[in-house]
Amino acid sequence: MECLSVPPKYREMKSFWKYYAGQEVAPVPTIFIGGNHEASNYLWELYYGGWAAPNIYFLGFSGVVKFGNIRIGGLSGIYNARHYHLGHFERPPYNDSTIRSVYHVREYDVHKLMQVEEPIDIFLSHDWPLGITDYGNWKELVRHKKHFKDEIQQGTLGSKAAAQLLEKLKPSYWFSAHLHCKFTALVQHEEGGPMTKFLALDKCLPGRKFLQIVDIESDPGPFEVQYDEEWLAITRKFNCVLPLTNQRGNFGNTQLDMQDFRQWVRSRLEDRGAKPCEFSQTAPPYNRSHPVSNTTFLGHPRNPQTVSFLEFLDLPYVLDNALESRDFPASLTQKGDNILLVGSIDDYSEDIPIEDEDELEDVAEADNENQKRSGEKLCLLCDIDAISSAMFSGDRTPYSPAQFLYSWWQHSSNLASYEEQDAHEFFISVLDGIHEKESKIRNSSKDYGDCQCIAHRAFSGLLRSDVTCITCGFTSTTYDPCVDISLNLDTSNLSSADLANKPVKPEEKLGVSTLSGCLNLFTRAERLGSDQKLHCENCQQLRDSSKQLSIRRLPLVLCLHIKRFEHSLVRKMSRKIDRYLQFPFSLDMTPYLSSSIIRSRFGNRMFAFEHDNSDNSAEYEIFAVIAHSGMLESGHYVTYLRLKNQWYKCDDPWISEVDEGIVRASQCYMLFYVQKLLYYKANEDLSCVRISPRRDTFASTAGCS
């Protein structure tokens, strides 16, 4: 149970022990792969594959077997970019980190599968191949799984490793699970080439689509699991470079030709036969009469099946090697996902990186249960107030914002998981949660324009959009409220004057943008494409037009979001933009106001502009920067906070003073500015802010109940 990565409430014995003990036997030969909720210590014993119980065969972390003359291949685990290039460094007992990384797919196992040349009939993967939704009815899928939409459109739903294998192996059938829904797709490999029928099924629960029978033509039996000659040769060739540390694997040290390995394996199979070793137990079966065992098992048992398999291939046993070279112990996380029974897919007209769809469902279930049990009503506003009170209480005891996270999950169930989330999405969802809560209290509408909730009083501004007909010059103007401004990185070259305030190496100049350049790009008029013609009220027909954005009203607190992630629809790839952005600590937003933009367009012919920003100052001071390091799939956020002109780096639980040069050099993702007068007033009044006693940190805010 300690090697199972699931919430504690799922750690209970169900029925698998009966099959392990021999009290029950699977009625048909069953072949499975690992997902992300199995007992990882047991699967590690059978790394190369083997019987997990009589008549239930595990394909291994990667593997190919034959059933009759049907070749079945599989890849266990789920894809995570952070661990993909590392070795299998995890060993029991697992810690909180390794219990979640042990089941992450590794490049080594994918590399072995990429060597397969002979046709594969069926392939199994837990998570879906990246881009598979392009070949099915993804719109119908999104109707049932709304939180898939962004990942599908951004090209991030699914496993890159599985996509590579799909392209290389081109199996007749590909079966997956993981995302808890039924989905079918039909992949045509090149024009006139082979086709792959893809099927994913739902969880094994009443009323869910978790079972499908597939008829596959094959020669007469024997219908039993047998070793595959080509796969044994690949295993023998690459076992010498099996990476077992947390370092990147090196697969180039295999010089012999594959045919040499094939001939060697063929001779062994002729002598021994192709049937796998018999099942054998490596631990006493569970006993319902004595559910708590008095026996303590130490070390890492060598499964006799694995020992016999390696002896057959004349290979050393290395699965318990290299423990001293690991920086930390390994671990696995998995829960009871469905085992996919495969077999005819009659209808493909029916109508993927989420790491763990289980967690999205389980968090919501657990939250509902806990809320009913406690009888307490969650309040996102109250929990934000509790955090602020704790920060300014003077108490140096470490503070955990768990209650806030719990409340936020209730509001944003699509983001509720223990995986990494986007800082900008988090910011917007929190503001939306505050707005909804205050709207209910005030019985006000959800119109953001004149909302008096604290979120919109602080962050809400107003954008002006002018669409001008190229033919007649008629301009249509609309206004939209906003709580942040998302900026594309300006890629124009910088002058020496632009770089004067920031030391940059000469060879780096082409990789530098400025915030002023980004704002100019945001407010610059752009001509809309021919496919975006708009109806001109004056011409009374579709016309080419230009569009220009400007800021009609500035907020008290200005949030600027830098678009560092882009997606190519042509290449169906996403990437992070690592370009450096130079940003000022003092910012004058006057040039980007609607009044300035309109006067610049029409010159002195304009009368006094009726919508200028006279009520709010256009001069701002920076007070916070959120920076991102790492890649698109994984990375790390830190916050730089400015108090009384001293910068502080907030990096998870560590807070330290830093020089402003560190802040300027950061890869900023979000910038927060406050109106200059408020900035100086806040610094003057910082020692006089309201302090709430820590004993009241979870008290309800006035108006909440």
Side-chain angles (χ1 to χ4, degrees):
M1 289 297 175
E2 294 177 358
C3 298
L4 194 68
S5 178
V6 296
K9 74 170 187 175
Y10 291 104
R11 288 180 176 162
E12 58 177 308
M13 298 300 288
K14 293 293 188 179
S15 59
F16 176 75
W17 67 270
K18 297 179 181 179
Y19 296 87
Y20 182 84
Q23 295 185 17
E24 301 281 354
V25 178
V28 295
T30 303
I31 297 174
F32 78 99
I33 56 169
N36 57 317
H37 295 301
E38 280 74 57
S40 299
N41 58 334
Y42 187 39
L43 295 191
W44 181 248
E45 293 179 22
L46 298 170
Y47 170 79
Y48 300 95
W51 299 105
N55 221 26
I56 301 177
Y57 191 85
F58 174 49
L59 272 178
F61 279 53
S62 62
V64 179
V65 297
K66 296 180 71 174
F67 187 78
N69 71 321
I70 296 175
R71 297 186 82 208
I72 303 172
L75 177 67
S76 291
I78 60 175
Y79 178 81
N80 185 296
R82 282 177 293 175
H83 303 114
Y84 179 64
H85 299 290
L86 307 183
H88 290 287
F89 62 86
E90 301 90 349
R91 304 288 184 280
Y94 304 125
N95 61 27
D96 290 342
S97 173
T98 54
I99 200 171
R100 297 181 63 82
S101 68
V102 64
Y103 55 76
H104 287 163
V105 169
R106 303 302 155 93
E107 183 182 22
Y108 170 79
D109 301 302
V110 175
H111 182 74
K112 289 172 61 181
L113 287 167
M114 292 290 285
Q115 310 308 308
V116 174
E117 298 294 340
E118 297 177 0
I120 295 288
D121 298 294
I122 301 171
F123 195 88
L124 310 179
S125 69
H126 191 54
D127 45 4
W128 302 8
L130 181 67
I132 193 66
T133 51
D134 294 345
Y135 299 92
N137 191 341
W138 68 267
K139 293 183 179 179
E140 179 66 19
L141 172 65
V142 168
R143 284 185 58 232
H144 301 284
K145 295 279 188 176
K146 294 181 174 58
H147 54 288
F148 287 5
K149 184 175 182 179
D150 288 344
E151 291 191 60
I152 291 175
Q153 292 180 337
Q154 294 166 12
T156 59
L157 183 68
S159 164
K160 289 185 177 180
Q164 293 175 349
L165 290 171
L166 174 61
E167 183 179 5
K168 170 65 167 62
L169 301 177
K170 302 177 178 62
S172 300
Y173 296 88
W174 187 296
F175 301 113
S176 295
H178 191 44
L179 297 185
H180 297 177
C181 59
K182 183 175 183 180
F183 182 75
T184 61
L186 192 59
V187 182
Q188 174 74 62
H189 301 282
E190 304 103 29
E191 186 174 353
M195 299 180 69
T196 296
K197 296 179 179 180
F198 174 85
L199 172 66
L201 294 178
D202 205 340
K203 295 178 73 173
C204 295
L205 292 174
R208 307 280 281 267
K209 299 177 180 179
F210 62 84
L211 180 67
Q212 181 124 10
I213 307 301
V214 181
D215 294 325
I216 299 176
E217 292 185 4
S218 67
D219 294 339
F223 294 118
E224 59 183 14
V225 175
Q226 294 188 336
Y227 287 140
D228 181 84
E229 178 187 301
E230 183 184 28
W231 182 249
L232 293 182
I234 292 170
T235 299
R236 177 171 166 78
K237 176 176 180 178
F238 287 96
N239 197 68
C240 62
V241 291
L242 170 60
L244 294 168
T245 71
N246 58 359
Q247 304 299 313
R248 189 175 185 127
N250 180 8
F251 320 130
N253 300 325
T254 50
Q255 303 300 325
L256 295 178
D257 183 76
M258 182 61 72
Q259 290 304 316
D260 297 332
F261 291 95
R262 290 290 295 265
Q263 292 176 6
W264 188 94
V265 167
R266 188 177 300 120
S267 65
R268 283 296 185 103
L269 288 173
E270 290 173 354
D271 295 337
R272 178 197 176 279
K275 291 184 64 173
C277 304
E278 295 295 327
F279 167 74
S280 59
Q281 297 176 354
T282 55
Y286 173 73
N287 187 337
R288 280 190 296 190
S289 301
H290 301 87
V292 179
S293 173
N294 294 323
T295 307
T296 300
F297 296 93
L298 300 176
H300 315 286
R302 293 189 174 187
N303 195 300
Q305 297 181 76
T306 301
V307 173
S308 298
F309 175 82
L310 292 171
E311 289 176 350
F312 166 58
L313 291 182
D314 195 19
L315 296 173
Y317 190 102
V318 297
L319 298 183
D320 49 12
N321 288 2
L323 296 183
E324 295 80 7
S325 65
R326 294 182 293 115
D327 291 342
F328 45 88
S331 69
L332 157 70
T333 67
Q334 295 211 338
K335 184 166 50 178
D337 266 4
N338 55 303
I339 294 176
L340 183 62
L341 301 178
V342 299
S344 100
I345 300 180
D346 300 319
D347 182 8
Y348 275 83
S349 63
E350 175 187 350
D351 281 316
I352 283 183
I354 298 174
E355 169 154 318
D356 198 345
E357 180 68 11
D358 299 277
E359 288 184 346
L360 298 181
E361 298 178 359
D362 295 333
V363 163
E365 291 175 6
D367 287 350
N368 290 334
E369 291 177 8
N370 290 335
Q371 188 172 342
K372 292 176 183 177
R373 188 181 303 116
S374 65
E376 296 177 357
K377 191 172 183 179
L378 294 175
C379 172
L380 185 63
L381 275 175
C382 305
D383 295 326
I384 294 175
D385 180 67
I387 293 176
S388 300
S389 299
M391 289 171 57
F392 294 107
S393 68
D395 188 346
R396 299 181 65 85
T397 304
Y399 177 79
S400 171
Q403 183 72 12
F404 163 73
L405 182 63
Y406 182 72
S407 298
W408 175 61
W409 278 354
Q410 287 286 310
H411 170 71
S412 304
S413 59
N414 62 313
L415 300 176
S417 76
Y418 295 99
E419 302 308 316
E420 297 175 347
Q421 302 292 350
D422 181 78
H424 180 246
E425 288 185 11
F426 170 75
F427 170 71
I428 297 300
S429 72
V430 169
L431 291 188
D432 187 55
I434 294 172
H435 168 77
E436 285 191 6
K437 181 65 178 180
E438 283 210 39
S439 296
K440 291 178 181 178
I441 295 171
R442 300 170 185 272
N443 293 319
S444 59
S445 66
K446 199 171 179 179
D447 181 11
Y448 292 173
D450 298 316
C451 178
Q452 292 302 304
C453 76
I454 184 63
H456 287 94
R457 277 188 287 155
F459 290 97
S460 181
L462 197 63
L463 294 179
R464 171 177 171 143
S465 174
D466 292 319
V467 178
T468 303
C469 174
I470 300 297
T471 303
C472 71
F474 176 81
T475 298
S476 173
T477 301
T478 57
Y479 299 95
D480 295 298
C482 65
V483 293
D484 71 325
I485 297 177
S486 294
L487 301 174
N488 290 309
L489 282 167
D490 172 37
T491 56
S492 60
N493 292 334
L494 299 177
S495 66
S496 58
D498 291 326
L499 296 165
N501 295 324
K502 167 65 184 169
V504 179
K505 296 178 182 179
E507 64 271 20
E508 294 178 341
K509 289 186 180 181
L510 291 179
V512 178
S513 296
T514 63
L515 183 59
S516 60
C518 296
L519 287 166
N520 286 332
L521 187 63
F522 179 78
T523 56
R524 187 176 66 191
E526 62 170 331
R527 182 157 181 164
L528 302 179
S530 58
D531 59 338
Q532 296 177 291
K533 290 185 178 182
L534 299 178
H535 185 269
C536 175
E537 295 181 19
N538 187 50
C539 299
Q540 289 298 307
Q541 58 181 297
L542 292 176
R543 293 292 195 188
D544 289 328
S545 57
S546 64
K547 180 178 180 179
Q548 185 170 27
L549 294 174
S550 58
I551 303 171
R552 173 183 170 180
R553 186 183 70 241
L554 288 165
L556 296 178
V557 181
L558 176 66
C559 172
L560 300 177
H561 163 234
I562 310 302
K563 296 180 181 179
R564 289 199 173 273
F565 308 110
E566 68 176 8
H567 175 62
S568 172
L569 294 176
V570 177
R571 302 178 63 187
K572 295 184 179 179
M573 292 180 61
S574 300
R575 72 179 185 97
K576 181 189 172 188
I577 306 172
D578 289 319
R579 190 179 185 87
Y580 171 74
L581 177 69
Q582 178 191 356
F583 55 91
F585 287 2
S586 297
L587 176 65
D588 185 0
M589 291 293 291
T590 302
Y592 317 108
L593 294 176
S594 299
S595 54
S596 301
I597 298 293
I598 300 303
R599 288 191 180 104
S600 174
R601 187 193 305 169
F602 294 101
N604 294 330
R605 292 177 293 163
M606 284 294 294
F607 294 98
F609 190 68
E610 60 176 329
H611 297 306
D612 64 20
N613 202 66
S614 57
D615 292 339
N616 291 336
S617 170
E619 294 186 351
Y620 287 82
E621 283 291 319
I622 197 167
F623 73 94
V625 176
I626 296 177
H628 180 270
S629 60
M631 302 176 295
L632 175 67
E633 300 88 352
S634 63
H636 184 61
Y637 289 108
V638 298
T639 297
Y640 296 98
L641 185 64
R642 185 187 185 193
L643 296 173
K644 292 186 176 180
N645 285 326
Q646 172 61 55
W647 283 96
Y648 297 88
K649 180 182 180 181
C650 306
D651 186 356
D652 289 341
W654 296 279
I655 299 178
S656 57
E657 293 185 0
V658 294
D659 296 330
E660 68 173 48
I662 299 295
V663 182
R664 292 187 185 277
S666 67
Q667 198 169 92
C668 60
Y669 182 56
M670 297 179 72
L671 302 168
F672 292 88
Y673 290 85
V674 65
Q675 287 185 11
K676 184 167 289 190
L677 292 176
L678 290 178
Y679 174 80
Y680 290 119
K681 180 174 175 53
N683 280 287
E684 291 173 2
D685 296 344
L686 193 57
S687 60
C688 303
V689 295
R690 178 177 66 87
I691 297 178
S692 297
R694 281 297 292 270
R695 59 185 173 86
D696 294 328
T697 48
F698 292 102
S700 294
T701 303
C704 296
S705 59

